[in-house]
Amino acid sequence: NDNLAAAANLALAEWEYASNDRPGALAHLQRVSTSDPAAKDPQADALSVFLLDDGKSDDAAITAATKFLASHEGTAAEPEVMLKLGELLYRKGDFAGARVQLESLAKKYPGPPLEFPARFLAAQSAARLQTASSVNDARLLFEEVASSSDPLAMRARFEQAVLQNVLGKPSESIVILDRIITSNSPPEIKAAALIEKGKTLYGL
């Protein structure tokens, strides 16, 4: 039965991907892609996006992700592929494209688990555009994350402090950093805040 064989190969590909066996996952995914009617299986197409991200060239994975989103809108894997595409675009240096993709994800799929990670990455993308309006947009996006209960909240607050220094507002930066230092933030965030405060005071 072609459908059963395709489903089995897809399950094996997913298991091997989770086990960091990329060659094995690719081999089983190839068997799925050559088995009609499973060739258009959204899960198989989504998995191929992640497998094509080999850390060397982003182009193939970006093309696969773009094709997936055009062909499988509304499927269960869509939000993960949108996030992946945003990450790939950011990594390639297409910060404007990354921001559009990530903000679209946050609006289309509000709430956990992806809204605030998407907003955080969108804020980083906006900040990297380095225009007055984009840096201000980044500050507002970081505020949305910082005001939430998401695990990224304190990291977003720290990024706000860094942005205030970029904007030439060291006093405002120190106020934010002090809030982090006196909070119950994770140790690595507190350490980063202490270092940033020291650099800011030295600059003053």
Side-chain angles (χ1 to χ4, degrees):
N1 185 299
D2 286 343
N3 285 338
L4 187 60
N9 276 304
L10 177 57
L12 282 167
E14 290 174 336
W15 183 80
E16 284 159 343
Y17 174 72
S19 302
N20 293 317
D21 180 2
R22 184 179 295 272
L26 283 167
H28 279 103
L29 196 62
Q30 180 63 30
R31 295 188 185 106
V32 174
S33 66
T34 56
S35 176
D36 191 62
K40 298 185 185 300
D41 188 305
Q43 283 301 119
D45 286 349
L47 182 57
S48 71
V49 173
F50 290 86
L51 287 172
L52 286 168
D53 179 19
D54 58 5
K56 298 174 184 176
S57 173
D58 299 326
D59 291 339
I62 288 171
T63 299
T66 303
K67 183 177 178 182
F68 175 93
L69 294 173
S71 305
H72 302 300
E73 184 178 359
T75 56
E78 183 184 36
E80 286 82 4
V81 175
M82 291 178 76
L83 181 62
K84 187 64 175 177
L85 179 56
E87 293 172 347
L88 289 165
L89 292 170
Y90 181 91
R91 199 164 70 197
K92 190 177 181 181
D94 182 1
F95 303 120
R99 179 185 174 185
V100 168
Q101 189 63 228
L102 293 161
E103 288 198 79
S104 296
L105 168 59
K107 291 174 183 175
K108 190 168 185 178
Y109 294 97
L114 296 180
E115 178 188 0
F116 291 110
R119 290 191 186 281
F120 183 90
L121 288 171
Q124 288 188 315
S125 300
R128 292 295 294 271
L129 289 170
Q130 296 183 342
T131 67
S133 61
S134 66
V135 170
N136 187 59
D137 290 345
R139 185 180 59 80
L140 295 174
L141 284 164
F142 280 131
E143 178 59 35
E144 291 177 11
V145 181
S147 300
S148 73
S149 58
D150 191 85
L152 286 168
M154 277 300 170
R155 188 174 168 196
R157 190 66 75 195
F158 172 76
E159 294 290 344
Q160 275 188 322
V162 173
L163 274 183
Q164 293 289 17
N165 275 329
V166 171
L167 293 169
K169 300 178 179 179
S171 298
E172 286 86 341
S173 179
I174 289 173
V175 170
I176 297 172
L177 292 167
D178 281 339
R179 288 176 61 186
I180 298 171
I181 293 164
T182 58
S183 71
N184 60 347
S185 304
E188 64 273 14
I189 300 296
K190 277 194 178 184
L194 285 164
I195 292 169
E196 185 70 18
K197 182 178 179 180
K199 287 162 61 180
T200 304
L201 291 169
Y202 181 80
L204 287 169

